[in-house]
Amino acid sequence: MSDVATSDFRHPRRYVRLDTILRLRWLAVLGQLAAIFIVEQGLEFDVEVAPCLAIVALSALLNLTLQIWFNPMQRLEPVFAAALLALNIIELAGLLFFTGGLQNPFSFLFLAPVLIAATALPIRFTIALGLLAVASASVLFFFYFPLPWDSDEPLVLPPIYLVGVWLSIVLAIGVTSLYAFQVAEEARKLSDALAATELVLAREQHLTQLDGLAAAAAHELGTPLSTIFLISRELEHSVESNPQLAGDIKTLREQAQRCRDILAKITELSASGAPFDRMPLSALIEEAVAPHRDFGVAIKVRIAVAGTPEPAAARNPAILYGVGNILENAVDFARATVEVNAWWNAETVEIIISDDGPGIPPDLLKRIGEPYLSRRRGVSETQESHSGLGLGVFIARTLLERTGAKVSFANRAFPDHGAVVQIVWPRSRFEQRELEVGHQS
């Protein structure tokens, strides 16, 4: 079985549209203007309006400049997106400096740019923005213009309260950003792995379609080639008096016959693997096992004899790829032997693939089948980044489950050692005329 180019999926580059950043910045500008107006006019607080409006005006001017000179739909490199988010933090710190520092309840807005970075940018930029936000909050702990409370009843907040505010901001930035990053990273991994699954399935189905086209072409070309062969044979007999012309016509007849033989072979190959052929379970297993023989590991196939007829299914790329990929992993980890056992009854069809290797580590047993999860042996780190991602097992499990199978992973009971993969179908689903493997939009 050929491998998917997992390097194309492991580290996708992350881009944020300029329009997304600009929308957030315009929202911040409007919110800041509303807050200044409400505090100044509604609450009648004597705040430093001029410097606050200057900061908001500079922010709005930058937004207009970016919107005019650049295409808002273009995707920003992570470093430029991080720079704009850093500017948001600095602008917020400037506004808080003139409006009470950490006493201002809006100081928790430091979390917003870091949270956006956690969901859309690489982790190094998220850490850098988090440190910038923490540093800004730390400076505001000591340096700020106090809020203009009522002079008759001034509100004096104790230092311990400000320490608590600072600590809560730091913890909120750290915990919330880490949680958002983990959720976004899992979503990205799953999306990329499913894209790889669709790529594998599309490739297998494309090969099957080419097989059908070859059969159709062989059938359509058979008749004209037969006509050419017959006419050339008659011409060869009628021009025996001209040796040179007779030789040319003989060559033409031989080449036509050669074309007929090639088309006959294509027809035979296509007939043996046509997309709607029925394959008994034993033939399906043998086709999946065949590419993995002769690798120094013995593959023992045992088909249990049951009282019901052997199940047969449509030749399905998803099943062949899924079973073949699990077999490939078993051969890769096995010391000497891989066993493939199959049995069936009136309700179920089951294939069990086991090896005598080290087995699945306990910490991975419950997570096996997730994308980008692997501990292959005998490969360097460079190789592991391309072949040891667990993406193949994820694809195999996804494809098999789409055909109605239930796939489970376990280790052999002590004192035996090795991994065991159990694949079970409802017999009615396995024997469908066309197993549906589904498509994602």
Side-chain angles (χ1 to χ4, degrees), residues 71-120:
N71 180 7
M73 292 298 107
Q74 76 177 32
R75 295 191 176 274
L76 296 173
E77 292 285 342
V79 63
F80 297 123
L84 287 175
L85 292 173
L87 189 57
N88 286 355
I89 293 175
I90 295 172
E91 291 169 354
L92 177 62
L95 289 171
L96 292 175
F97 173 76
F98 292 106
T99 56
L102 297 186
Q103 295 181 14
N104 192 320
F106 289 103
S107 59
F108 278 91
L109 289 177
F110 278 126
L111 177 62
V114 184
L115 191 59
I116 294 169
T119 59

Side-chain angles (χ1 to χ4, degrees), residues 55 83 106 126 137 144 170 204 226 237 291 301 320 341 354 413 423-424 426:
I55 293 173
F106 289 103
T126 303
Y144 57 90
V170 172
E204 295 294 327
S226 297
H237 292 312
V301 179
L320 292 173
N341 298 303
S354 58
I423 310 168
V424 182

